[in-house]
Amino acid sequence: MTAYALAHVRSVELCPDIVEYLERIQATMDPFGGHFAFHGGQKDVVEGSWDGDMILIEFPDLEAVWAWWASPEYQEIKHLRTDHMVADIVLFERLAEGYQVGETAAKLKTLL
């Protein structure tokens, strides 16, 4: 089932290390089927606030996203980002096909 790496980028220092990271990251994702689904593009905040940018990387499944995250190739370049960027990053799997939010509401109702 499709999985994602989502980054909420709170701040970034534009510098040669960030450029190098961007030049090298795709090669670390390719063996795991990863590709950018969203990368700091146009977004409309319609409620609340959203400081910073968003990056969404899609992978074939949760195993692939975790394998990429832990891979020696990604770990080798990770510092180029973390030394110059503050971000919250989560890895997660998409919901199962046919998910019905009403079922979650029904379960929660029993807890009230």
Side-chain angles (χ1 to χ4, degrees):
M1 188 174 314
T2 304
Y4 301 92
L6 172 68
H8 179 188
V9 179
R10 299 190 180 280
S11 67
V12 63
E13 172 195 353
L14 297 179
C15 63
D17 281 355
I18 290 294
V19 173
E20 181 180 349
Y21 176 83
L22 293 173
E23 290 172 340
R24 295 176 62 187
I25 189 172
Q26 187 65 52
T28 72
M29 297 181 332
D30 286 344
F32 305 99
H35 67 274
F36 284 93
F38 187 86
H39 191 230
Q42 174 62 37
K43 63 186 173 309
D44 298 317
V45 178
V46 296
E47 191 171 321
S49 64
W50 187 281
D51 296 326
D53 259 316
M54 179 174 56
I55 299 167
L56 183 65
I57 306 172
E58 184 176 272
F59 289 84
D61 53 40
L62 198 54
E63 184 178 287
V65 72
W66 274 108
W68 164 73
W69 184 259
S71 71
E73 295 79 12
Y74 182 67
Q75 292 304 309
E76 181 181 315
I77 69 166
K78 186 177 174 182
H79 76 93
L80 298 170
R81 175 183 57 77
T82 59
D83 289 351
H84 307 283
M85 180 186 289
V86 176
D88 302 314
I89 299 176
V90 294
L91 308 180
F92 61 96
E93 191 171 53
R94 77 176 296 263
L95 292 170
E97 194 68 37
Y99 169 80
Q100 295 292 317
V101 70
E103 294 172 15
T104 299
K107 289 176 188 173
L108 291 174
K109 200 173 193 179
T110 65
L111 301 174
L112 298 177

